[in-house]
Amino acid sequence: MTLSTLSRRSLLKAGAAGLAATALPFGFAKAQSPIVLGAVYVGPRDDFGWNQAHATAMAILKTVPGVTVIEEENVPETDAVSQSMESMINLDGANLILATSFGYYSPFVVDLAKKYPDVQFRHAAPLWKEGDPTNAGSYFCYLNQAHYVDGVAAGLSSPTGKLGFVAAKPIPSVLSNINSFLLGAKKTNPAATVQVIFTGEWSMPVREAEATNALIDAGCDVITCHVDGPKVIVETAEARGVKTCGHNASQAPLAPTGFITGAEYKWSTIYSLYADLLAKGEPLPNFIAGGYHNDMLQNSPYGAGATPEAIAAADAAIAGLKASEPIYVGPLKDNAGNVVIEGTMDNYDPVLDGMNYLLEGVVGSLT
Amino acid sequence: MTAEAVPASAILLRSGNVRVKKLAETIAIPLGALLASAVLFSIFLLLLGKSPIEFFALVWTGGFGSSFAIQQSLQRAAPLLLTGLAFAIPARIGLTIIGGEGALVLGGFAAAAIAIPLVSNSAPAFLTLPIMAIFAMSAGGIWIGLAGWLRHYRGVNETISSLLLSYIAIAIMNFFVEGMLRDPSSANKPSTMPIGDAYKVGNIPGLDVHWGLAAGILLAVVLYILMSRTTFGFAARMTGGNPRAALAQGLPVGFLIVSCCMIAGACAGLAGFFEVAAIHGQANASLVAGYGFTGILVAFLARHNPLVIIPVAVLFGAIAASGGVIQRRMAMPDATVLVLQGILFVVLLVSETFYGRFKIFQPGRTGDRT
């Protein structure tokens, strides 16, 4: 992930509004040529998580005249994805592929982009970098900002201030969500703590349920998570009468009494932008990323678990993020007592991408 | 093709007739099973309100409808051929070895691991690739050989042990790939060092299919000859028929069992080699793709005949290749194709019981069945 940092940042700095205008030489030759868009998902489209978030947003592209969307789900991150994409290109005439899972990019998307220079490929993780095929590209959102909002609301919705976090793997993007959730909670309840359990896998429902129960047994009264499909976690917490914050897509229907809010991607912003460009016959940008300041994130509609104060504070936090208010305000210590952030960090500072610590207030360790 | 059509006096013709009938039986029963599966699956589709005609038309489009589709089917058939052999050969000696998946993974891992010192010392590709293949086949061979050894010398059920060994093989690969042999640049998906394009096995000229397909076909022919036309094969089949009788005859039963298992493991290991050397270029979790298990189905449909495995692997490759088209065009879940495979498997197992039950295929009054 680190290799792409520089180019990503420079592109991001090009300005949120200017993203659409980033004119690149390769694209669709004619405005009127029909677009066949092939979408590939790693799991089921109704997983209450990552894939559902993409599939729901994909609906926007289906409304564009002249765009046909074909979809394939449960495609593993193996050679199978190459075969699926090639089949879309050759049998369905796809000329734009949206590959939505992290592991699809290298080598599969890269190799196919070289093999089919007339087909456009876009991939949902910040992996494209200068030197990669120009008919490939990346799109991504910084979800930690929405987890920060979750934290703000959780801090005011939790009677004890003890929050629980079920996390998949101790990699930077996950750690950033945990730390942002903590900082949000501290904003509204300075005594708040976040206890974290790593399951080690993106999708391991049994272990996720066990972790949820363990956190509740340890006294946590709000549970959130970063795993592929938060369904089991949210349902388990709801069954135990504990409040929840969601992740990836809205899990509100799963927790009618305890749901506070949830961190959601707003892929629809990117997909609408793509749709506009496609309708005009203009090229798609090679790199696009963002967060609240350019409308690429959202928080799930508040559930019954959110107190009125929490809702007000969360709304204020969202307004702050839209105005680029920073989340990481130093000096901040990790939970071993070392100062890890000296000054105030911009929400998109590349240093944050290398995060390898849990902040003071997080109970748990990386190993 | 009834018995009455043949003059009873023509003895020569009669023995020919027996063969023809036997052949007719071995073709008609699997074919009937395929048709029955198609009917059952059509009922399933009708219940869902989908058109079976459209479904089978799409299977044709996705599997054989164009030169691209055929190549896709062949691509997917290549590993299935080898893993099908990995099940079929031990089956001939009466063993149910279902650990092909593990042998494939371990073979692929061994190939990728031995490639690291060779590639970093820029050994020539014509030397590196055979060494990788030999390591892959040895690793797979030893692994399944172990299941055979446990069976014969310790009385351990080979089905269970080969399945468990399979999990151990995957764990071994994960252990090294996530630890000692991890390429530091593979941050988010732990993998071994890539072998690089210069060391990759290319495609068969004129086709978008790697050489693994040719190797699989060649091996299927060689193993057919071995199992049907040599004393080794005869002894193995006899052991499969009745191990005690074979032992009483003085056949080296232990040697035969372990050899057949090692051949099987080597086939799966070779499939792993091609996955690494022709497709992934490195070993990682992508090797665990389920080819080992689909191979079992392939071998069953082929009734463990190495030659028949060739077309059956292509058929399964085609079904898999059309899975995506069906999902996309008919808006059906990806599990649809799995339902078809499941129906096929059950119907085939049932059809096994029909051999020798149909009068039309029996040799008639002569009683000559050899």
Short mmCIF file of all heavy atoms in Angstrom, two decimals, chain B residues 9-63:
data_model
loop_
_atom_site.label_atom_id
_atom_site.label_comp_id
_atom_site.label_asym_id
_atom_site.label_seq_id
_atom_site.Cartn_x
_atom_site.Cartn_y
_atom_site.Cartn_z
N SER B 9 -24.36 -68.90 -33.86
CA SER B 9 -23.27 -69.80 -34.24
C SER B 9 -21.93 -69.09 -34.38
O SER B 9 -20.89 -69.71 -34.26
CB SER B 9 -23.62 -70.49 -35.57
OG SER B 9 -23.89 -69.46 -36.52
N ALA B 10 -21.95 -67.81 -34.63
CA ALA B 10 -20.70 -67.10 -34.90
C ALA B 10 -19.96 -66.80 -33.60
O ALA B 10 -20.20 -65.79 -32.95
CB ALA B 10 -20.97 -65.82 -35.68
N ILE B 11 -19.08 -67.72 -33.22
CA ILE B 11 -18.43 -67.60 -31.91
C ILE B 11 -17.54 -66.36 -31.86
O ILE B 11 -17.51 -65.63 -30.88
CB ILE B 11 -17.62 -68.88 -31.61
CG1 ILE B 11 -18.60 -70.05 -31.42
CG2 ILE B 11 -16.77 -68.71 -30.36
CD1 ILE B 11 -17.95 -71.39 -31.43
N LEU B 12 -16.82 -66.15 -32.96
CA LEU B 12 -15.93 -64.99 -33.00
C LEU B 12 -16.72 -63.70 -32.83
O LEU B 12 -16.34 -62.83 -32.06
CB LEU B 12 -15.16 -64.96 -34.32
CG LEU B 12 -13.90 -65.82 -34.34
CD1 LEU B 12 -13.31 -65.82 -35.75
CD2 LEU B 12 -12.89 -65.34 -33.32
N LEU B 13 -17.81 -63.68 -33.56
CA LEU B 13 -18.65 -62.50 -33.48
C LEU B 13 -19.17 -62.31 -32.07
O LEU B 13 -19.30 -61.21 -31.57
CB LEU B 13 -19.83 -62.63 -34.44
CG LEU B 13 -19.62 -62.02 -35.81
CD1 LEU B 13 -20.85 -62.27 -36.66
CD2 LEU B 13 -19.32 -60.54 -35.70
N ARG B 14 -19.42 -63.45 -31.42
CA ARG B 14 -20.02 -63.38 -30.10
C ARG B 14 -19.08 -62.68 -29.11
O ARG B 14 -19.48 -61.81 -28.35
CB ARG B 14 -20.37 -64.77 -29.59
CG ARG B 14 -21.16 -64.72 -28.29
CD ARG B 14 -21.37 -66.10 -27.73
NE ARG B 14 -22.17 -66.92 -28.61
CZ ARG B 14 -21.97 -68.22 -28.77
NH1 ARG B 14 -21.00 -68.82 -28.13
NH2 ARG B 14 -22.74 -68.92 -29.58
N SER B 15 -17.80 -63.06 -29.18
CA SER B 15 -16.89 -62.42 -28.24
C SER B 15 -16.78 -60.93 -28.57
O SER B 15 -16.67 -60.10 -27.67
CB SER B 15 -15.52 -63.09 -28.26
OG SER B 15 -14.86 -62.75 -29.45
N GLY B 16 -16.84 -60.64 -29.88
CA GLY B 16 -16.86 -59.22 -30.26
C GLY B 16 -18.11 -58.55 -29.73
O GLY B 16 -18.06 -57.45 -29.20
N ASN B 17 -19.19 -59.27 -29.83
CA ASN B 17 -20.47 -58.76 -29.38
C ASN B 17 -20.45 -58.43 -27.89
O ASN B 17 -20.96 -57.42 -27.45
CB ASN B 17 -21.53 -59.82 -29.68
CG ASN B 17 -22.91 -59.34 -29.33
OD1 ASN B 17 -23.17 -58.16 -29.46
ND2 ASN B 17 -23.74 -60.24 -28.89
N VAL B 18 -19.78 -59.29 -27.12
CA VAL B 18 -19.67 -59.06 -25.68
C VAL B 18 -18.98 -57.73 -25.43
O VAL B 18 -19.42 -56.93 -24.61
CB VAL B 18 -18.90 -60.21 -25.01
CG1 VAL B 18 -18.58 -59.86 -23.57
CG2 VAL B 18 -19.72 -61.48 -25.08
N ARG B 19 -17.92 -57.52 -26.19
CA ARG B 19 -17.18 -56.27 -26.02
C ARG B 19 -18.03 -55.06 -26.37
O ARG B 19 -18.02 -54.07 -25.65
CB ARG B 19 -15.95 -56.27 -26.93
CG ARG B 19 -14.85 -57.11 -26.37
CD ARG B 19 -13.56 -56.70 -27.00
NE ARG B 19 -12.47 -57.24 -26.23
CZ ARG B 19 -11.21 -57.00 -26.51
NH1 ARG B 19 -10.91 -56.21 -27.53
NH2 ARG B 19 -10.26 -57.52 -25.79
N VAL B 20 -18.71 -55.19 -27.49
CA VAL B 20 -19.55 -54.08 -27.94
C VAL B 20 -20.59 -53.76 -26.88
O VAL B 20 -20.82 -52.60 -26.54
CB VAL B 20 -20.22 -54.42 -29.29
CG1 VAL B 20 -21.31 -53.40 -29.61
CG2 VAL B 20 -19.18 -54.45 -30.39
N LYS B 21 -21.18 -54.83 -26.35
CA LYS B 21 -22.23 -54.61 -25.35
C LYS B 21 -21.67 -53.96 -24.10
O LYS B 21 -22.28 -53.09 -23.49
CB LYS B 21 -22.89 -55.94 -25.01
CG LYS B 21 -23.76 -56.43 -26.13
CD LYS B 21 -24.63 -57.54 -25.68
CE LYS B 21 -25.75 -57.72 -26.69
NZ LYS B 21 -26.80 -58.57 -26.17
N LYS B 22 -20.50 -54.41 -23.72
CA LYS B 22 -19.89 -53.84 -22.52
C LYS B 22 -19.60 -52.36 -22.75
O LYS B 22 -19.84 -51.51 -21.89
CB LYS B 22 -18.59 -54.59 -22.21
CG LYS B 22 -18.41 -54.63 -20.73
CD LYS B 22 -17.54 -55.71 -20.22
CE LYS B 22 -17.44 -55.42 -18.72
NZ LYS B 22 -16.24 -55.89 -18.16
N LEU B 23 -19.08 -52.09 -23.94
CA LEU B 23 -18.77 -50.70 -24.28
C LEU B 23 -20.06 -49.88 -24.27
O LEU B 23 -20.12 -48.78 -23.72
CB LEU B 23 -18.09 -50.64 -25.65
CG LEU B 23 -17.60 -49.26 -26.07
CD1 LEU B 23 -16.45 -48.84 -25.17
CD2 LEU B 23 -17.15 -49.27 -27.52
N ALA B 24 -21.11 -50.48 -24.89
CA ALA B 24 -22.38 -49.78 -24.95
C ALA B 24 -22.88 -49.47 -23.55
O ALA B 24 -23.39 -48.39 -23.26
CB ALA B 24 -23.41 -50.62 -25.70
N GLU B 25 -22.67 -50.43 -22.64
CA GLU B 25 -23.12 -50.22 -21.27
C GLU B 25 -22.34 -49.08 -20.61
O GLU B 25 -22.93 -48.20 -19.98
CB GLU B 25 -22.93 -51.51 -20.46
CG GLU B 25 -23.48 -51.41 -19.05
CD GLU B 25 -23.30 -52.69 -18.25
OE1 GLU B 25 -22.26 -53.36 -18.43
OE2 GLU B 25 -24.19 -53.01 -17.46
N THR B 26 -21.02 -49.09 -20.79
CA THR B 26 -20.22 -48.06 -20.13
C THR B 26 -20.48 -46.68 -20.73
O THR B 26 -20.20 -45.68 -20.10
CB THR B 26 -18.71 -48.36 -20.21
OG1 THR B 26 -18.42 -48.80 -21.52
CG2 THR B 26 -18.29 -49.39 -19.21
N ILE B 27 -20.99 -46.64 -21.96
CA ILE B 27 -21.34 -45.33 -22.52
C ILE B 27 -22.76 -44.94 -22.13
O ILE B 27 -23.02 -43.83 -21.71
CB ILE B 27 -21.18 -45.34 -24.05
CG1 ILE B 27 -19.69 -45.45 -24.41
CG2 ILE B 27 -21.76 -44.06 -24.66
CD1 ILE B 27 -19.45 -45.65 -25.88
N ALA B 28 -23.66 -45.93 -22.22
CA ALA B 28 -25.09 -45.61 -22.04
C ALA B 28 -25.40 -45.20 -20.61
O ALA B 28 -26.18 -44.27 -20.40
CB ALA B 28 -25.93 -46.81 -22.44
N ILE B 29 -24.80 -45.86 -19.64
CA ILE B 29 -25.18 -45.55 -18.25
C ILE B 29 -24.75 -44.14 -17.84
O ILE B 29 -25.59 -43.36 -17.37
CB ILE B 29 -24.68 -46.66 -17.29
CG1 ILE B 29 -25.54 -47.90 -17.55
CG2 ILE B 29 -24.78 -46.21 -15.83
CD1 ILE B 29 -25.24 -49.07 -16.66
N PRO B 30 -23.48 -43.75 -18.05
CA PRO B 30 -23.14 -42.35 -17.70
C PRO B 30 -23.93 -41.34 -18.52
O PRO B 30 -24.34 -40.30 -18.01
CB PRO B 30 -21.65 -42.24 -18.01
CG PRO B 30 -21.16 -43.63 -18.06
CD PRO B 30 -22.29 -44.48 -18.50
N LEU B 31 -24.18 -41.68 -19.79
CA LEU B 31 -24.94 -40.76 -20.64
C LEU B 31 -26.36 -40.61 -20.10
O LEU B 31 -26.91 -39.51 -20.02
CB LEU B 31 -24.97 -41.32 -22.08
CG LEU B 31 -25.01 -40.27 -23.19
CD1 LEU B 31 -23.77 -39.39 -23.12
CD2 LEU B 31 -25.11 -40.95 -24.55
N GLY B 32 -26.95 -41.76 -19.72
CA GLY B 32 -28.28 -41.73 -19.12
C GLY B 32 -28.27 -40.91 -17.85
O GLY B 32 -29.20 -40.14 -17.58
N ALA B 33 -27.20 -41.07 -17.05
CA ALA B 33 -27.10 -40.32 -15.80
C ALA B 33 -27.03 -38.82 -16.09
O ALA B 33 -27.67 -38.01 -15.41
CB ALA B 33 -25.85 -40.77 -15.03
N LEU B 34 -26.26 -38.47 -17.13
CA LEU B 34 -26.17 -37.05 -17.50
C LEU B 34 -27.54 -36.51 -17.89
O LEU B 34 -27.93 -35.42 -17.47
CB LEU B 34 -25.20 -36.87 -18.67
CG LEU B 34 -23.71 -36.88 -18.36
CD1 LEU B 34 -22.90 -36.73 -19.63
CD2 LEU B 34 -23.37 -35.77 -17.39
N LEU B 35 -28.26 -37.31 -18.69
CA LEU B 35 -29.59 -36.87 -19.13
C LEU B 35 -30.54 -36.75 -17.94
O LEU B 35 -31.27 -35.77 -17.80
CB LEU B 35 -30.16 -37.87 -20.15
CG LEU B 35 -29.61 -37.72 -21.56
CD1 LEU B 35 -30.16 -38.81 -22.47
CD2 LEU B 35 -29.97 -36.34 -22.12
N ALA B 36 -30.49 -37.75 -17.05
CA ALA B 36 -31.36 -37.71 -15.87
C ALA B 36 -31.04 -36.48 -15.03
O ALA B 36 -31.95 -35.80 -14.53
CB ALA B 36 -31.18 -38.98 -15.05
N SER B 37 -29.76 -36.18 -14.88
CA SER B 37 -29.38 -34.99 -14.11
C SER B 37 -29.94 -33.74 -14.77
O SER B 37 -30.43 -32.83 -14.09
CB SER B 37 -27.87 -34.84 -14.03
OG SER B 37 -27.28 -36.04 -13.67
N ALA B 38 -29.84 -33.71 -16.10
CA ALA B 38 -30.34 -32.54 -16.83
C ALA B 38 -31.83 -32.36 -16.59
O ALA B 38 -32.31 -31.24 -16.38
CB ALA B 38 -30.04 -32.68 -18.32
N VAL B 39 -32.56 -33.49 -16.59
CA VAL B 39 -34.01 -33.41 -16.36
C VAL B 39 -34.29 -32.92 -14.95
O VAL B 39 -35.09 -31.99 -14.73
CB VAL B 39 -34.67 -34.79 -16.61
CG1 VAL B 39 -36.10 -34.79 -16.14
CG2 VAL B 39 -34.57 -35.15 -18.09
N LEU B 40 -33.61 -33.52 -13.95
CA LEU B 40 -33.82 -33.11 -12.56
C LEU B 40 -33.50 -31.62 -12.39
O LEU B 40 -34.23 -30.88 -11.73
CB LEU B 40 -32.92 -33.92 -11.63
CG LEU B 40 -33.39 -35.34 -11.31
CD1 LEU B 40 -32.36 -36.07 -10.47
CD2 LEU B 40 -34.71 -35.25 -10.55
N PHE B 41 -32.39 -31.21 -13.00
CA PHE B 41 -31.99 -29.82 -12.84
C PHE B 41 -32.98 -28.89 -13.54
O PHE B 41 -33.25 -27.78 -13.06
CB PHE B 41 -30.57 -29.62 -13.40
CG PHE B 41 -30.01 -28.27 -13.09
CD1 PHE B 41 -29.67 -27.93 -11.80
CD2 PHE B 41 -29.84 -27.33 -14.09
CE1 PHE B 41 -29.17 -26.68 -11.49
CE2 PHE B 41 -29.35 -26.07 -13.80
CZ PHE B 41 -29.00 -25.75 -12.50
N SER B 42 -33.54 -29.35 -14.66
CA SER B 42 -34.55 -28.54 -15.35
C SER B 42 -35.76 -28.32 -14.45
O SER B 42 -36.34 -27.23 -14.41
CB SER B 42 -35.00 -29.22 -16.64
OG SER B 42 -33.90 -29.38 -17.49
N ILE B 43 -36.14 -29.38 -13.72
CA ILE B 43 -37.28 -29.24 -12.80
C ILE B 43 -36.95 -28.18 -11.75
O ILE B 43 -37.77 -27.31 -11.44
CB ILE B 43 -37.59 -30.61 -12.14
CG1 ILE B 43 -38.07 -31.59 -13.21
CG2 ILE B 43 -38.62 -30.45 -11.02
CD1 ILE B 43 -38.20 -33.02 -12.73
N PHE B 44 -35.72 -28.25 -11.23
CA PHE B 44 -35.26 -27.26 -10.25
C PHE B 44 -35.38 -25.84 -10.83
O PHE B 44 -35.88 -24.92 -10.18
CB PHE B 44 -33.82 -27.60 -9.86
CG PHE B 44 -33.11 -26.55 -9.07
CD1 PHE B 44 -33.40 -26.36 -7.72
CD2 PHE B 44 -32.15 -25.74 -9.66
CE1 PHE B 44 -32.74 -25.38 -6.98
CE2 PHE B 44 -31.49 -24.77 -8.94
CZ PHE B 44 -31.79 -24.59 -7.59
N LEU B 45 -34.94 -25.70 -12.08
CA LEU B 45 -34.99 -24.37 -12.71
C LEU B 45 -36.43 -23.91 -12.90
O LEU B 45 -36.76 -22.75 -12.65
CB LEU B 45 -34.29 -24.40 -14.07
CG LEU B 45 -32.77 -24.48 -14.05
CD1 LEU B 45 -32.24 -24.65 -15.46
CD2 LEU B 45 -32.17 -23.23 -13.42
N LEU B 46 -37.30 -24.84 -13.33
CA LEU B 46 -38.70 -24.48 -13.54
C LEU B 46 -39.34 -24.04 -12.23
O LEU B 46 -40.14 -23.10 -12.20
CB LEU B 46 -39.47 -25.66 -14.14
CG LEU B 46 -39.12 -25.95 -15.61
CD1 LEU B 46 -39.74 -27.26 -16.06
CD2 LEU B 46 -39.57 -24.79 -16.51
N LEU B 47 -38.95 -24.69 -11.13
CA LEU B 47 -39.49 -24.30 -9.83
C LEU B 47 -39.08 -22.87 -9.49
O LEU B 47 -39.80 -22.14 -8.81
CB LEU B 47 -39.00 -25.25 -8.74
CG LEU B 47 -39.62 -26.65 -8.76
CD1 LEU B 47 -38.99 -27.53 -7.68
CD2 LEU B 47 -41.12 -26.55 -8.52
N LEU B 48 -37.90 -22.48 -9.95
CA LEU B 48 -37.42 -21.12 -9.70
C LEU B 48 -37.99 -20.13 -10.71
O LEU B 48 -37.72 -18.94 -10.65
CB LEU B 48 -35.89 -21.06 -9.79
CG LEU B 48 -35.11 -21.76 -8.68
CD1 LEU B 48 -33.62 -21.62 -8.95
CD2 LEU B 48 -35.44 -21.16 -7.33
N GLY B 49 -38.73 -20.67 -11.69
CA GLY B 49 -39.30 -19.80 -12.71
C GLY B 49 -38.29 -19.40 -13.78
O GLY B 49 -38.44 -18.36 -14.42
N LYS B 50 -37.23 -20.21 -13.95
CA LYS B 50 -36.24 -19.90 -14.98
C LYS B 50 -36.36 -20.90 -16.12
O LYS B 50 -36.87 -22.02 -15.93
CB LYS B 50 -34.83 -19.96 -14.39
CG LYS B 50 -34.62 -19.05 -13.21
CD LYS B 50 -34.30 -17.65 -13.65
CE LYS B 50 -34.09 -16.76 -12.42
NZ LYS B 50 -33.83 -15.38 -12.76
N SER B 51 -35.86 -20.52 -17.27
CA SER B 51 -36.00 -21.39 -18.43
C SER B 51 -34.83 -22.35 -18.54
O SER B 51 -33.68 -21.92 -18.68
CB SER B 51 -36.08 -20.53 -19.69
OG SER B 51 -35.57 -21.24 -20.79
N PRO B 52 -35.11 -23.66 -18.49
CA PRO B 52 -34.02 -24.63 -18.66
C PRO B 52 -33.35 -24.52 -20.02
O PRO B 52 -32.15 -24.72 -20.14
CB PRO B 52 -34.71 -25.99 -18.51
CG PRO B 52 -36.02 -25.71 -17.90
CD PRO B 52 -36.40 -24.31 -18.25
N ILE B 53 -34.17 -24.17 -21.03
CA ILE B 53 -33.60 -24.07 -22.38
C ILE B 53 -32.55 -22.98 -22.43
O ILE B 53 -31.43 -23.16 -22.92
CB ILE B 53 -34.71 -23.82 -23.42
CG1 ILE B 53 -35.64 -25.03 -23.45
CG2 ILE B 53 -34.12 -23.56 -24.81
CD1 ILE B 53 -36.94 -24.80 -24.19
N GLU B 54 -32.91 -21.84 -21.82
CA GLU B 54 -31.94 -20.74 -21.78
C GLU B 54 -30.70 -21.17 -21.02
O GLU B 54 -29.57 -20.88 -21.41
CB GLU B 54 -32.58 -19.51 -21.11
CG GLU B 54 -31.70 -18.27 -21.22
CD GLU B 54 -32.26 -17.07 -20.44
OE1 GLU B 54 -33.34 -17.20 -19.83
OE2 GLU B 54 -31.59 -16.04 -20.46
N PHE B 55 -30.92 -21.90 -19.91
CA PHE B 55 -29.79 -22.34 -19.10
C PHE B 55 -28.83 -23.19 -19.91
O PHE B 55 -27.63 -22.91 -19.98
CB PHE B 55 -30.29 -23.12 -17.88
CG PHE B 55 -29.17 -23.64 -17.02
CD1 PHE B 55 -28.63 -22.85 -16.02
CD2 PHE B 55 -28.63 -24.90 -17.23
CE1 PHE B 55 -27.59 -23.30 -15.23
CE2 PHE B 55 -27.58 -25.37 -16.44
CZ PHE B 55 -27.07 -24.56 -15.45
N PHE B 56 -29.37 -24.23 -20.57
CA PHE B 56 -28.46 -25.11 -21.29
C PHE B 56 -27.87 -24.43 -22.52
O PHE B 56 -26.73 -24.72 -22.91
CB PHE B 56 -29.16 -26.43 -21.63
CG PHE B 56 -29.40 -27.28 -20.41
CD1 PHE B 56 -30.66 -27.43 -19.88
CD2 PHE B 56 -28.32 -27.86 -19.75
CE1 PHE B 56 -30.87 -28.19 -18.73
CE2 PHE B 56 -28.51 -28.61 -18.60
CZ PHE B 56 -29.78 -28.78 -18.09
N ALA B 57 -28.61 -23.50 -23.09
CA ALA B 57 -28.04 -22.72 -24.19
C ALA B 57 -26.85 -21.91 -23.70
O ALA B 57 -25.83 -21.79 -24.38
CB ALA B 57 -29.11 -21.80 -24.79
N LEU B 58 -26.98 -21.36 -22.48
CA LEU B 58 -25.89 -20.57 -21.94
C LEU B 58 -24.69 -21.43 -21.55
O LEU B 58 -23.55 -21.01 -21.68
CB LEU B 58 -26.36 -19.75 -20.73
CG LEU B 58 -27.18 -18.51 -21.06
CD1 LEU B 58 -27.65 -17.83 -19.78
CD2 LEU B 58 -26.35 -17.53 -21.89
N VAL B 59 -24.99 -22.66 -21.07
CA VAL B 59 -23.88 -23.57 -20.79
C VAL B 59 -23.11 -23.81 -22.09
O VAL B 59 -21.87 -23.81 -22.11
CB VAL B 59 -24.39 -24.92 -20.21
CG1 VAL B 59 -23.27 -25.94 -20.17
CG2 VAL B 59 -24.95 -24.71 -18.81
N TRP B 60 -23.85 -23.95 -23.17
CA TRP B 60 -23.19 -24.13 -24.47
C TRP B 60 -22.38 -22.88 -24.84
O TRP B 60 -21.21 -22.97 -25.18
CB TRP B 60 -24.23 -24.46 -25.54
CG TRP B 60 -23.59 -24.62 -26.89
CD1 TRP B 60 -23.56 -23.71 -27.89
CD2 TRP B 60 -22.84 -25.76 -27.35
NE1 TRP B 60 -22.85 -24.20 -28.96
CE2 TRP B 60 -22.39 -25.46 -28.65
CE3 TRP B 60 -22.50 -26.99 -26.78
CZ2 TRP B 60 -21.61 -26.34 -29.40
CZ3 TRP B 60 -21.74 -27.88 -27.53
CH2 TRP B 60 -21.31 -27.56 -28.82
N THR B 61 -23.04 -21.71 -24.72
CA THR B 61 -22.34 -20.45 -25.06
C THR B 61 -21.08 -20.29 -24.23
O THR B 61 -20.01 -19.96 -24.75
CB THR B 61 -23.25 -19.25 -24.75
OG1 THR B 61 -24.52 -19.50 -25.33
CG2 THR B 61 -22.67 -17.96 -25.30
N GLY B 62 -21.23 -20.51 -22.92
CA GLY B 62 -20.11 -20.26 -22.02
C GLY B 62 -19.05 -21.34 -22.08
O GLY B 62 -17.88 -21.09 -21.78
N GLY B 63 -19.44 -22.55 -22.46
CA GLY B 63 -18.50 -23.66 -22.43
C GLY B 63 -17.88 -23.99 -23.77
O GLY B 63 -16.70 -24.30 -23.87
#
